Amino acid sequence: MDFQLSLESEGVGSAYPDQPLAATADDSVGNVMQLLRAQRTGSVLICEGEKLVGIVTERDALKAMSGDISITASVREIMSSPPATIASSATVGDAIRKMSEGGYRHLPIVDSEQKPKGVLAVHGIVHYLVDHFPETVYNQPPDPKSKNKEREGA
Amino acid sequence: MSSILCPYCEAENMEGTDECQACGEALTELSRHIPASSVEADLLRDRIERLWPKSPASVSPDTTVGEVLKLMVDKEIGCVMVVDRGRLVGIFSERDALMKINTDAPRLKDKPISQYMTADPVTLETNDKIAYGLHKMHVGGYRHIPILFEGKLAGVISIRDILRYLAERIAATSSRR
């Protein structure tokens, strides 16, 4: 399928969203940092009941590591709230535009009731591209500079 | 008549030529694949320098973890280059901080960054294709890749730079229609 057409017709679900990982605003910064590490992921969604109220990313964790914020503080202190989100009905093209314009690396995917359905990470977009352009991305010639300048032997 | 560019010496050759008329390298693999969309053609044509690699923040290997973390927060940067006597020896990213430092930061803040950096990172050259950069980021799961020019550290690109480039290419393609 034509790439441009795919971007404007395929839903955000095609760009490998991560399962949402949730915590509450009362959880401590330290707990959320360890959750990020244990799950090897870049963001935790902060929810009240089933509703999304904030997001904490690696960037926020860095502030706690540098000593700007205590790890015993509640994540309420460091979360981005309300977070930028993308509707589950949006297309991959919408997501690329939104991430690029806002500089977001993680976009929670929400339904019409603001319930989180997943998280779109920038790596998912890259994965999507590689799927669409496998020949372009994988058939890269070897580095010309690494070639022997002269044939081996006499 | 369309032409293909030899990836080895950059000479122009007629489409379908089996080997480069200038340097003799095989071009058969290249003849088979014709980009199906203009975004794809852009990815194959444009070089890393087109992303305007930023000047990287650099530290020496004996800089402390605490100093590096503070630098990353204050300058709002996602990674620092670790440079020893002019040579790139490692990279320390938000991901390294999360995986290796995390809540141990108070205990580790006086340790040298060389103990926690990712040593001998994957690098790209300014004249590598953007498609190649995309490949490296995908395979390695990297978000930042140091850029070298003639073997020396010249900049850094992030996955956001690629996303921005892509958004621009897509917008340009849509407006051409």
Side-chain angles (χ1 to χ4, degrees), chain B residues 1-168:
Chain B
M1 170 74 70
S2 61
S3 64
I4 48 176
L5 214 54
C6 172
Y8 304 97
C9 72
E10 309 207 335
E12 268 192 49
N13 287 269
M14 275 194 300
E15 182 71 55
T17 313
D18 285 345
E19 57 183 48
C20 176
Q21 301 300 300
C23 71
E25 286 292 337
L27 301 176
T28 44
E29 288 296 320
L30 296 160
S31 310
R32 283 191 202 130
H33 178 60
I34 298 161
S37 80
S38 73
V39 175
E40 187 173 12
D42 290 342
L43 280 171
L44 270 178
R45 185 200 59 220
D46 288 345
R47 312 279 171 156
I48 294 290
E49 61 199 355
R50 168 73 182 64
L51 300 174
W52 308 112
K54 292 179 191 64
S55 297
S58 303
V59 298
S60 65
D62 54 4
T63 311
T64 67
V65 166
E67 285 168 338
V68 171
L69 290 171
K70 187 164 164 26
L71 179 73
M72 290 169 80
V73 170
D74 290 351
K75 301 258 185 209
E76 298 190 335
I77 47 178
C79 73
V80 294
M81 305 294 139
V82 184
V83 176
D84 188 19
R85 284 165 290 208
R87 197 173 69 87
L88 177 71
V89 294
I91 179 170
F92 183 81
S93 67
E94 284 174 0
R95 178 49 54 105
D96 293 314
L98 189 76
M99 299 311 290
K100 301 172 192 169
I101 309 291
N102 209 285
T103 49
D104 294 328
R107 189 168 60 79
L108 304 179
K109 69 178 171 34
D110 296 324
K111 302 270 189 198
I113 199 64
S114 54
Q115 285 184 18
Y116 302 96
M117 68 185 187
T118 297
D120 301 321
V122 164
T123 60
L124 290 165
E125 289 272 342
T126 48
N127 65 347
D128 282 329
K129 308 268 179 66
I130 292 179
Y132 189 52
L134 194 63
H135 170 69
K136 293 263 187 189
M137 286 193 171
H138 175 60
V139 172
Y142 308 124
R143 238 171 317 176
H144 299 93
I145 297 185
I147 307 300
L148 308 182
F149 177 67
E150 293 178 347
K152 290 229 162 68
L153 181 63
V156 59
I157 58 158
S158 75
I159 202 163
R160 278 190 216 198
D161 296 327
I162 291 198
L163 196 70
R164 192 194 61 229
Y165 166 85
L166 190 69
E168 286 168 7

